[in-house]
Amino acid sequence: LFPESISTEQQSLVLVKRLLAISMSCITYMRGLFPESSYGTRYLDDLCLKILREDKSCLGSLQIVKWIQGCFDALEKQYVNLGFYALSSNPTVTEMYQFKFKYKKKVPQMDISSNHREFVAGLCSKDVKQASRLLLRTLYLLMQDLGPLPNDITLSMKLLYYNDVTPKDYQPPGFKEDGSPGDLLFAGDPVNLRVGSVSTDFHLMKVKVTTEKKRVRKADSNLIQNNGPTEISHQGLDCEEEEEEESTKVNLLNLAFSQEEVVGPEKKRKVSEPEKLTLNSRK
């Protein structure tokens, strides 16, 4: 499911892409958006994972697969800074899933567990895989604690980019310039739930869920951040990054390698989106 070794940039990219695809699949499956035929089954230790596949009998799942492939293109080019996936019941957002990406410059690191003070090539593949498993397990558990969705749901996805490297006319396959740059409105008080983060020598990926507080049945208190505003601007989705970095030590993951310093150009508030997907009838 994941690369045996995660010592090169290409292996790290494969890991991040698979984490994104599995996470998106988890969300759509656990929220009951598509029929069973739209998923294949894979196992990660004792965790049964349902992975979206190209099901020609379900146009909705086909569209989500294309969204994920568009994200892959932006990840490969190291353009995308933030991707968010919203489930809305007009005119308000019901749930929002944020995927934050950073790209690192690889630097030697001290092996503090060794008796010899030697520099090692970077993060241990075993620890990276452990963090990946924990992130997915936490996401699955969180999905089980969310209240049921309204009958009529609209799916939307938006990508925000890094300023210095992204061409002004760039759009991933299947995406277009954002045509609705307004704020994201929640009906009640939203709460942010930290799912986790995975860090390699080359990438950092963080996952966070935002939903109305009353819809969370029993989330671990370590996952919950302070309440946010009922309206969230696209331009302010990741403005709490510095605060988030400081408080990661008390995150559920509590893993030292999620504190790795990352280097990235200034963020660009360029936003793009695919066509929205409306689901009037779900399984």
Side-chain angles (χ1 to χ4, degrees), residues 21-54:
I22 295 170
S23 298
M24 292 280 286
S25 299
C26 165
I27 293 165
T28 61
Y29 183 81
M30 297 298 289
R31 307 311 282 138
L33 301 184
F34 305 121
E36 190 77 26
S37 61
S38 296
Y39 300 88
T41 301
R42 298 289 296 274
Y43 286 89
L44 183 63
D45 298 332
D46 60 340
L47 186 62
C48 178
L49 301 174
K50 295 293 184 176
I51 313 296
L52 270 171
R53 59 187 178 188
E54 293 183 296

Side-chain angles (χ1 to χ4, degrees), residues 80-200:
V80 65
N81 164 227
L82 181 74
F84 72 90
Y85 174 75
L87 303 178
S88 305
S89 180
N90 286 334
T92 58
V93 176
T94 304
E95 297 171 6
M96 182 172 68
Y97 301 84
Q98 296 186 45
F99 299 88
K100 183 157 184 78
F101 305 100
K102 288 190 176 182
Y103 312 96
K104 301 185 193 178
K105 293 180 180 178
K106 186 176 180 182
V107 294
Q109 298 179 18
M110 180 71 76
D111 184 2
I112 59 175
S113 64
S114 172
N115 292 329
H116 303 287
R117 291 193 174 185
E118 59 183 13
F119 283 89
V120 295
L123 301 170
C124 174
S125 296
K126 181 180 178 181
D127 288 342
V128 173
K129 291 179 183 179
Q130 178 188 355
S132 302
R133 288 192 291 267
L134 186 53
L135 184 149
L136 293 174
R137 190 178 297 275
T138 303
L139 184 59
Y140 262 77
L141 291 173
L142 176 59
M143 293 296 96
Q144 296 174 22
D145 287 336
L146 294 179
L149 291 170
N151 289 329
D152 294 339
I153 280 290
T154 297
L155 285 70
S156 60
M157 186 171 193
K158 296 183 189 291
L159 298 180
L160 285 73
Y161 303 90
Y162 281 106
N163 182 28
D164 292 354
V165 295
T166 308
K168 291 183 178 180
D169 60 350
Y170 171 75
Q171 297 294 346
F175 283 70
K176 61 181 181 178
E177 185 175 354
D178 180 27
S180 54
D183 292 342
L184 303 167
L185 178 64
F186 286 83
D189 293 330
V191 60
N192 291 321
L193 304 168
R194 299 176 192 267
V195 177
S197 63
V198 174
S199 181
T200 74

Side-chain angles (χ1 to χ4, degrees), residues 243-256:
E243 176 186 345
E244 184 175 346
E245 291 294 338
E246 288 298 319
S247 57
T248 306
K249 295 178 183 177
V250 296
N251 190 348
L252 181 65
L253 289 180
N254 197 24
L255 297 171

Side-chain angles (χ1 to χ4, degrees), residues 207-272:
V207 182
K208 183 166 67 174
V209 178
T210 306
T211 188
E212 295 174 44
K213 190 173 183 179
K214 65 181 182 181
R215 303 192 67 255
V216 183
R217 292 169 179 161
K218 51 174 183 176
D220 190 309
S221 60
N222 287 325
L223 298 179
I224 300 177
Q225 293 179 261
N226 292 332
N227 289 1
T230 55
E231 290 187 18
I232 302 177
S233 168
H234 294 170
Q235 307 302 314
L237 278 171
D238 57 347
C239 63
E240 299 174 354
E241 182 64 27
E242 293 183 3
E243 176 186 345
E244 184 175 346
E245 291 294 338
E246 288 298 319
S247 57
T248 306
K249 295 178 183 177
V250 296
N251 190 348
L252 181 65
L253 289 180
N254 197 24
L255 297 171
F257 51 77
S258 67
Q259 296 296 308
E260 295 300 320
E261 181 180 0
V262 292
V263 179
E266 183 182 350
K267 299 182 183 72
K268 178 176 182 178
R269 293 308 173 189
K270 167 185 168 68
V271 185
S272 60

